[in-house]
Amino acid sequence: MEELQGRWHDLDRLLLRPGNLVGPGFEPCAELRDLLQNDCKVLVIGAGGLGCELLKDLALSGFGNIDVIDMDTIDVSNLNRQFLFRIHDVGKPKAQVAADRIMQRVKGVMVTAHFCRIEEKDVDFYRQFQIIMLGLDSLEARSYINSVVCSFLEYEPDGGLDYSTIKPMVDGGTEGFKGHARVILPGVTPCFQCTLWLFPPQITFPLCTLAETPRSPAHCIEYVHLIQWGQDRVGEKFDSDSPEHMKWIFEQAVKRATQFCISGVTYSLTQGVVKNIIPAIASTNAIVSAVCALEALKIATMCSKGMDNYMMYVGTQGVYTHTVSYEKDPNCIMCSPGVPIEVDCSCTLQECIDTLLNDQRFKAKLSRPSVSFQGTNLYMQAPPILEELTRPNLRLSLLSLMGGNPSGGVLNINDKKLHGVLRVRVSFSKEMDTT
Amino acid sequence: MAQRNNKYDRQLRIWGDHGQAALEHASVCLLNCGPTGSEALKNLVLGGIGSFTIVDPSRVEAADLGNNFLVSWENLGQSKARSVCALLQELNESVGAKFVEESPEALLDSNPSFFASFTLVIATQMPEKALIKLDETCRQQRVMLLVARSYGLAGLVRICIQEHDVIESKPDNPVDDLRLHKPWPELKRFVDQFDIDAKDQLEHQHIPFAIILVKVAEEWKAAHGGRLPSGSKERAEFKAAVRARKQSDDEDNYKEALASAYKVWAPPTISSELHSVLDDSAVEIHSTSTDFWILVAALKMFMANDADGDLPLDGAIPDMHSYTDYYIRLQKVYQDRAEANVSAVEANVKSILRKIARDSLSISRSTIKQFCKNARNLRVLRYRTLADEFSPLAAFKIQRLLAVEESSNVEIYILLRAVDQFAATYNRYPGIFDRELEQDVLRLKAICINLLNDIGVNGASISEDLISEFCRFGAAEIHCVASVIGGIASQEAIKEPSYTMQLNRHHQFCSCRCIFVLIWQSLCVSIFGALYTNILFKTPEVYAHIMLEHSGCFNVNLILLFTYVLTYVHPYTALCSITGSYACVYNIEVYIKGGRDDQVSTYHGIHPIVNGNCRFLQREACPRKSCSEHLVLRFFEVYHPPTV
Ligand SMILES: [Zn+2]
């Protein structure tokens, strides 16, 4: 497409002019615009409140090649902030409608929509992007992407990170007037796993309170949702998107509240409790997304120095922002060069595998692990022929399988429960076994 | 109606029906509809404001298609105001949309009364000179003015309004007002119905903790000449007295009672901010007093005459492990008291209204109720005029800030003003022409020096890197920056008509490594606030001097914890890396080493640390009066990621 002369006039100020406060290796030149337009592929995960803003911000930052993935369809309650959708779009896939609207408004940008769950895409899908933008509302989805992106990391035998394997992620999140933006350079800045504590714990009510001594409208609603539904509507799966189901929960909750003299059960509260609705407004999404997209522009072009590495925004009382440089967990099971484990010098490969399976840190992450060391398969669970071939190793000493180096090394563990490789840094305990 | 409620569901959960109704009555005037203005308005249109009017004389040019989402290619060469207006209207058909193809400056000269009909004026990308006049005009007409400016990778948001009264400030973490230390007769009688030493095990473990604490506190008072526990020794004894009534270790109500024991000797206090509202001269009521100040006067009368200095009870109680029936009855005791307090305040309101010959029913009971419920968090914000801010009055603070290492936010503020002066002198912004870039750096530097001299700041200088960065920007309006600035402006705008949340305050600080935010409540007092956290978060010499009150456990770990929180984590952040289980109320004062007396900030609130999670509940505002404020953002000069 013929570019309109002067269209990127404002952006060009940053891309074509040298500066003293720019990122490392910044070279002002017209090719940076081509890089944004053609070579830098960006993935936006989520086409909701943040996703719509991100798509707009990226397209107007010169990015020409954007993919967007979202499994949801448009709901009326999205319209107060998800500005790419109209009332007649209700029911259509968010990703597709958002992509179409962006391409319609911003000429020359190619937005590819994926109407599916993020887990439906394989690792190679995610590998093709230079930057991944997250506009998500759940920890689970973030953890999934985190494990995929961390699995790309490769470390030298001395523990040095191969910088070419870093896949930068920019994450945003909002709740009401508050939000955060963070830049994750896996292996360099903390990944989600390193800072899991940043996510607030879920509020749950004790079942006995719900069943015996309800005191609040929420207690009544959760009782109907979690207990009474299963008793009264045996075999029916509760669907929070079904108006009939929600209405039933509401009506039963009102009955229960009346019985216990509790007031305040409303349909809106019922929805809020059952669906765990987080309040959301347009302005906060706009602020957080724009901060994220600006970071993407900086990562791609180095036209200015980047954020290190977590910014919070609090608009509830006045405006407050603060940026914290969080630190990596050096033993992170996702992004570190290797999770440390210590085994005995005489330990066999089988014993090592058993140690891993019993380790709390890998709980629910391993079922049938395959093990390799510096590119050599030590034990493979599948296919059968490889399993048979590597099975004799199970009884061999791990120390000798790892080249006899008493200071240990990093084993790569694969498991169908993992989204990528798990790196385990084995060290051998000092005392020699005397047997 | 049903669809409206569905559409706005996610925001109704924040500001409720009355907030939404206020928003739907708001009419907004946008001056200049570049990306900053268009984005600000976009967010307001989505939220459902009543109507908007765009004032902009320009045509859609190529550059608009590279930074503004609310113009389309078909509109190239046509009126920008018309284009933005039409595309905004698409977003929400229930919003009234108008546009005027005129320059805001010309309109301000020819027809200043134009602005009187709006709730709010958002002025974007306007130079200093016009803004001073606009501020004056809007103040005369009692219209709120929001100033938003995006400039390269920097920007600024400022509020101009005579007075902003906050009733529903919606604190993140409301405090429980249980009056355990001072039970009123009905509560005492209710508590007396319970035997906390009940033999029945189920009964024993289902008595709400508030009842246990009132009982033990009354017993304590009886044994100590009416005094409540004071000092760590007595507090430990009090807790031991609670513990002694336990029948087993897994009684949840006793766990709650012990965790809340501090509420007996540390009930919520009246904040310095509220004190300053109560002591404000506007509380002297006369015939033109607003409803807000009549309510404050009635509140003050209530506190003095009816309530022994206490605020009206808000009537809310937290969940407590209890039988349903006990809890509901206890809740009723609190609610009844709250209603009685509302009635007392209502009587005061009526008598005040009669005194000034106004209809004694002109303030409804529901308004009074809302006011009483939120009395603890009343706030009044006054903003100084732009003319005052740009006068030498501000010199002292600027001087002091520039003398400190971490002061580049002030430099950005100076530069944002300097580019306007540059434009006034040269009829264009610096860095517009590539060939004059180097020359412009020198010119802009000279203007900065003059500007500093004019406002009486001597011997200070602006970093050369920043000056050349501002020339590099060449007045560019970068979409993402515009979207942040417009977003903040619209957030502030929403807080005003919904009359609920607090607008920008001076206690917001510079962040360190990414976006620098600086809010100047008034250049005289609170630039300091901004600066000071910057120092606090960055400089190792800064130490926290912590005074713990009411903690009962003044120990090294706590001090380390608070130091850690103050140093690395902001009050609003969850902090979970510390295990332990205790709760305390604290007052913390933080001094900067070598600082002046007024470089003190007080924190108080409740600090629960449960199961390794803790959360700062409230950062009390500084007791200083407010006039005006500024928000300066910048998006550059931060850190080096590795080359990827
Ligand atoms: Zn990690």
Side-chain angles (χ1 to χ4, degrees):
Chain A
M1 196 201 76
E2 190 68 25
E3 185 57 276
L4 182 65
Q5 189 70 35
R7 181 181 172 204
W8 298 109
H9 168 274
D10 291 69
L11 187 62
D12 280 351
R13 299 281 196 223
L14 299 180
L15 301 185
L16 303 183
R17 290 176 164 183
N20 300 332
L21 301 170
V22 295
F26 173 65
E27 290 277 355
C29 57
E31 284 72 37
L32 282 176
R33 225 167 62 199
D34 295 339
L35 173 118
L36 291 173
Q37 178 65 40
N38 304 314
D39 307 325
C40 188
K41 267 177 83 81
V42 182
L43 173 66
V44 174
I45 302 182
L50 291 165
C52 285
E53 290 282 344
L54 283 169
L55 288 169
K56 174 205 70 173
D57 295 337
L58 291 169
L60 289 176
S61 298
F63 288 94
N65 239 313
I66 308 170
D67 283 43
V68 57
I69 179 167
D70 196 309
M71 57 176 281
D72 279 341
T73 54
I74 297 160
D75 182 78
V76 182
S77 65
N78 303 145
L79 300 179
N80 80 324
R81 61 198 187 284
Q82 300 175 15
F83 66 97
L84 297 174
F85 309 140
R86 309 281 175 266
I87 190 78
H88 58 260
D89 296 323
V90 168
K92 295 181 196 163
K94 286 185 175 180
Q96 193 59 56
V97 176
D100 291 346
R101 289 268 145 74
I102 292 288
M103 287 193 285
Q104 194 186 343
R105 186 71 55 83
V106 185
K107 297 278 186 283
V109 60
M110 179 66 204
V111 185
T112 310
H114 306 271
F115 175 40
C116 63
R117 301 175 60 82
I118 52 174
E119 295 86 352
E120 285 172 48
K121 296 288 185 185
D122 61 13
V123 170
D124 285 329
F125 170 79
Y126 293 102
R127 203 189 293 273
Q128 63 178 307
F129 301 100
Q130 272 69 54
I131 303 172
I132 298 180
M133 313 291 296
L134 309 184
L136 293 163
D137 57 5
S138 83
L139 175 57
E140 290 71 31
R142 285 187 173 94
S143 294
Y144 175 77
I145 295 297
N146 193 56
S147 62
V148 170
V149 168
C150 288
S151 77
F152 296 147
L153 289 177
E154 282 172 27
Y155 284 89
E156 311 290 345
D158 66 356
L161 174 62
D162 176 353
Y163 278 1
S164 69
T165 61
I166 297 173
K167 181 89 57 199
M169 289 193 286
V170 186
D171 174 61
T174 72
E175 178 180 350
F177 284 89
K178 293 180 281 188
H180 78 264
R182 69 189 289 192
V183 175
I184 297 179
L185 304 172
V188 179
T189 66
C191 75
F192 287 114
Q193 184 72 34
C194 293
T195 51
L196 270 184
W197 56 270
L198 278 168
F199 294 90
Q202 282 259 300
I203 299 166
T204 50
F205 303 117
L207 280 181
C208 61
T209 293
L210 299 186
E212 285 156 30
T213 55
R215 297 175 293 271
S216 71
H219 289 159
C220 301
I221 295 163
E222 278 296 60
Y223 173 81
V224 179
H225 172 215
L226 299 174
I227 299 170
Q228 197 181 336
W229 178 276
Q231 292 168 350
D232 290 13
R233 301 185 66 157
V234 183
E236 245 183 299
K237 201 174 160 350
F238 174 71
D239 172 15
S240 67
D241 289 328
S242 154
E244 188 273 322
H245 288 189
M246 194 59 83
K247 192 159 163 277
W248 188 85
I249 300 270
F250 166 60
E251 282 163 359
Q252 299 301 316
V254 168
K255 274 189 204 157
R256 185 168 172 82
T258 312
Q259 184 192 333
F260 282 95
C261 304
I262 295 167
S263 60
V265 176
T266 62
Y267 189 73
S268 168
L269 182 70
T270 308
Q271 281 184 309
V273 170
V274 172
K275 294 168 125 177
N276 190 21
I277 291 177
I278 299 163
I281 56 174
S283 52
T284 318
N285 284 328
I287 296 163
V288 165
S289 302
V291 171
C292 290
L294 193 57
E295 289 309 312
L297 179 67
K298 293 181 194 172
I299 292 169
T301 67
M302 290 289 150
C303 68
S304 188
K305 292 173 185 176
M307 178 203 292
D308 178 25
N309 48 46
Y310 183 105
M311 182 211 73
M312 73 179 89
Y313 177 92
V314 184
T316 36
Q317 291 190 310
V319 176
Y320 171 87
T321 78
H322 176 53
T323 306
V324 196
S325 177
Y326 283 122
E327 283 176 19
K328 273 191 308 178
D329 172 0
N331 300 327
C332 176
I333 62 167
M334 288 295 165
C335 69
S336 73
V339 190
I341 63 161
E342 195 182 62
V343 294
D344 200 88
C345 285
S346 64
C347 169
T348 63
L349 179 56
Q350 180 67 60
E351 285 163 348
C352 172
I353 291 174
D354 293 343
T355 308
L356 292 175
L357 286 170
N358 290 326
D359 195 309
Q360 274 304 104
R361 290 171 295 178
F362 312 131
K363 205 170 159 240
K365 289 200 162 63
L366 296 177
S367 58
R368 298 173 63 234
S370 298
V371 183
S372 64
F373 175 66
Q374 293 183 354
T376 310
N377 293 326
L378 299 185
Y379 179 67
M380 298 293 283
Q381 300 274 2
I385 186 152
L386 266 184
E387 196 278 333
E388 205 182 313
L389 211 63
T390 52
R391 199 187 304 152
N393 285 345
L394 288 175
R395 281 187 282 152
L396 298 183
S397 131
L398 182 65
L399 180 58
S400 64
L401 284 170
M402 293 176 71
N405 182 353
S407 57
V410 175
L411 293 177
N412 283 349
I413 313 294
N414 280 288
D415 193 301
K416 61 179 192 307
K417 280 192 164 181
L418 293 167
H419 309 303
V421 66
L422 170 68
R423 291 173 293 271
V424 173
R425 195 168 67 238
V426 177
S427 61
F428 294 101
S429 47
K430 293 273 185 289
E431 307 92 72
M432 293 298 288
D433 201 321
T434 48
T435 51
Chain B
M1 195 66 183
Q3 193 182 63
R4 170 188 167 278
N5 285 349
N6 280 339
K7 183 161 98 179
Y8 296 132
D9 178 82
R10 297 303 186 268
Q11 64 197 47
L12 287 169
R13 288 173 193 278
I14 303 176
W15 51 70
D17 285 322
H18 61 291
Q20 186 65 29
L23 203 59
E24 287 172 14
H25 278 104
S27 72
V28 178
C29 175
L30 173 68
L31 306 182
N32 293 328
C33 60
T36 308
S38 300
E39 286 294 318
L41 206 45
K42 178 202 85 193
N43 301 328
L44 294 173
V45 167
L46 288 165
I49 48 165
S51 64
F52 67 84
T53 303
I54 296 173
V55 181
D56 191 317
S58 58
R59 315 252 126 205
V60 177
E61 293 172 23
D64 295 311
L65 299 170
N67 72 0
N68 193 343
F69 195 75
L70 290 151
V71 295
S72 74
W73 287 59
E74 296 75 48
N75 303 128
L76 205 56
Q78 298 169 7
S79 155
K80 201 198 289 184
R82 176 197 293 274
S83 170
V84 173
C85 185
L87 293 178
L88 280 173
Q89 177 88 79
E90 256 183 39
L91 300 182
N92 193 342
E93 280 162 8
S94 53
V95 175
K98 269 194 257 173
F99 66 94
V100 178
E101 286 181 71
E102 207 174 321
S103 121
E105 285 90 341
L107 192 61
L108 189 58
D109 284 333
S110 64
N111 184 13
S113 61
F114 171 83
F115 300 99
S117 61
F118 298 102
T119 322
L120 164 72
V121 174
I122 303 178
T124 66
Q125 308 302 81
M126 281 176 68
E128 190 169 301
K129 197 160 155 265
L131 286 175
I132 291 176
K133 180 154 189 216
L134 184 63
D135 182 23
E136 219 172 276
T137 307
C138 288
R139 274 174 205 258
Q140 275 164 15
Q141 299 171 352
R142 298 189 172 276
V143 175
M144 180 194 179
L145 171 66
L146 265 170
V147 173
R149 180 73 184 269
S150 308
Y151 198 94
L153 291 171
L156 178 152
V157 177
R158 194 200 197 278
I159 294 168
C160 305
I161 187 176
Q162 200 69 37
E163 179 181 309
H164 176 60
D165 307 322
V166 184
I167 295 179
E168 258 181 281
S169 70
K170 309 231 163 135
D172 269 357
N173 300 282
V175 293
D176 296 326
D177 186 4
L178 294 173
R179 308 281 161 99
L180 303 175
H181 63 304
K182 225 182 196 181
W184 60 95
E186 291 84 358
L187 178 60
K188 250 193 227 166
R189 273 204 294 283
F190 180 72
V191 167
D192 284 342
Q193 298 167 20
F194 291 85
D195 175 11
I196 63 168
D197 300 314
K199 288 283 171 295
D200 182 330
Q201 209 186 334
L202 275 176
E203 167 82 11
H204 189 263
Q205 55 186 242
H206 283 91
I207 295 175
F209 80 76
I211 291 174
I212 297 170
L213 288 176
V214 170
K215 275 242 157 137
V216 178
E218 291 301 301
E219 288 169 12
W220 177 279
K221 280 196 248 178
H224 292 80
R227 265 190 326 104
L228 285 165
S230 80
S232 54
K233 187 167 164 282
E234 287 194 359
R235 286 164 191 168
E237 281 169 24
F238 182 88
K239 284 191 175 180
V242 174
R243 217 171 278 122
R245 312 300 265 270
K246 279 198 306 190
Q247 287 180 357
S248 78
D249 275 339
D250 50 4
E251 291 182 309
D252 289 327
N253 55 339
Y254 275 84
K255 286 182 197 157
E256 290 174 350
L258 286 165
S260 293
Y262 70 90
K263 291 176 183 169
V264 170
W265 57 80
T269 52
I270 293 171
S271 69
S272 48
E273 285 234 321
L274 180 55
H275 271 304
S276 69
V277 174
L278 293 168
D279 297 341
D280 198 285
S281 59
V283 89
E284 299 301 327
I285 299 303
H286 47 79
S287 58
T288 58
S289 292
T290 60
D291 286 359
F292 176 82
W293 287 108
I294 291 170
L295 286 162
V296 174
L299 174 70
K300 204 175 170 180
M301 275 168 73
F302 168 84
M303 291 170 71
N305 305 337
D306 308 310
D308 190 22
D310 284 329
L311 286 167
L313 196 69
D314 67 20
I317 60 172
D319 190 29
M320 304 178 198
H321 192 83
S322 157
Y323 280 137
T324 303
D325 172 53
Y326 295 172
Y327 181 81
I328 301 290
R329 278 161 57 203
L330 180 67
Q331 202 175 30
K332 179 105 180 17
V333 172
Y334 276 85
Q335 284 166 351
D336 287 351
R337 179 72 173 178
E339 282 296 328
N341 285 175
V342 171
S343 298
V345 175
E346 189 182 22
N348 295 342
V349 169
K350 284 183 176 164
S351 89
I352 294 170
L353 286 169
R354 272 193 295 270
K355 232 177 267 168
I356 56 170
R358 244 188 257 177
D359 176 6
S360 69
L361 297 174
S362 63
I363 301 179
S364 70
R365 184 174 170 96
S366 68
T367 304
I368 298 169
K369 196 169 168 176
Q370 183 84 318
F371 181 86
C372 289
K373 212 173 161 48
N374 293 289
R376 189 169 298 285
N377 298 304
L378 297 179
R379 297 287 181 270
V380 172
L381 302 171
R382 296 196 179 100
Y383 301 80
R384 69 162 47 186
T385 63
L386 282 174
D388 278 351
E389 182 185 309
F390 295 159
S391 76
L393 287 171
F396 171 64
K397 279 287 162 164
I398 290 180
Q399 174 116 43
R400 217 164 85 184
L401 278 172
L402 284 168
V404 180
E405 203 185 348
E406 287 293 336
S407 64
S408 48
N409 294 291
V410 176
E411 297 182 64
I412 291 171
Y413 170 77
I414 298 289
L415 276 164
L416 284 168
R417 289 182 55 190
V419 294
D420 274 351
Q421 297 213 347
F422 188 107
T425 311
Y426 297 96
N427 226 4
R428 64 171 175 87
Y429 283 101
I432 294 292
F433 303 115
D434 285 332
R435 61 175 188 280
E436 298 206 40
L437 252 177
E438 277 177 39
Q439 195 62 37
D440 281 359
V441 173
L442 299 175
R443 288 170 179 148
L444 186 59
K445 190 177 174 185
I447 287 181
C448 285
I449 292 168
N450 280 343
L451 184 67
L452 289 171
N453 281 339
D454 284 352
I455 50 180
V457 178
N458 304 311
S461 67
I462 305 289
S463 127
E464 305 263 342
D465 281 352
L466 277 175
I467 295 174
S468 37
E469 190 72 1
F470 267 70
C471 289
R472 177 192 181 212
F473 295 157
E477 214 174 336
I478 304 294
H479 179 78
C480 289
V481 175
S483 193
V484 174
I485 299 293
I488 294 173
S490 57
Q491 222 182 49
E492 292 303 302
I494 278 173
K495 293 182 207 170
E496 157 59 33
S498 60
Y499 225 84
T500 54
M501 277 143 291
Q502 213 161 308
L503 298 163
N504 264 334
R505 298 198 44 76
H506 63 158
H507 268 294
Q508 329 317 326
F509 306 114
C510 322
S511 60
C512 301
R513 295 177 189 84
C514 155
I515 296 189
F516 284 69
V517 176
L518 163 60
I519 296 191
W520 293 0
Q521 171 99 3
S522 96
L523 286 165
C524 297
V525 290
S526 58
I527 280 181
F528 158 70
L531 176 69
Y532 139 85
T533 313
N534 208 1
I535 296 170
L536 182 65
F537 284 116
K538 274 209 121 169
T539 319
E541 288 84 24
V542 173
Y543 66 96
H545 171 77
I546 299 167
M547 298 189 318
L548 287 172
E549 267 190 26
H550 320 302
S551 73
C553 46
F554 186 81
N555 64 35
V556 177
N557 282 337
L558 265 172
I559 296 173
L560 284 177
L561 168 67
F562 285 123
T563 313
Y564 174 76
V565 172
L566 287 169
T567 311
Y568 296 108
V569 188
H570 178 260
Y572 293 103
T573 320
L575 163 75
C576 306
S577 54
I578 295 156
T579 51
S581 177
Y582 37 74
C584 59
V585 166
Y586 55 86
N587 274 303
I588 304 171
E589 293 210 353
V590 186
Y591 297 95
I592 294 173
K593 197 172 178 179
R596 296 161 58 108
D597 283 354
D598 64 347
Q599 294 181 335
V600 177
S601 185
T602 311
Y603 295 74
H604 38 119
I606 302 154
H607 190 129
I609 306 159
V610 183
N611 300 329
N613 299 313
C614 80
R615 189 178 268 272
F616 248 64
L617 290 189
Q618 198 178 9
R619 190 193 183 296
E620 275 292 328
C622 222
R624 285 177 267 263
K625 289 265 169 83
S626 47
C627 321
S628 75
E629 59 197 42
H630 251 106
L631 170 64
V632 176
L633 286 116
R634 77 186 214 179
F635 298 84
F636 56 94
E637 196 193 325
V638 230
Y639 111 118
H640 301 262
T643 316
V644 178

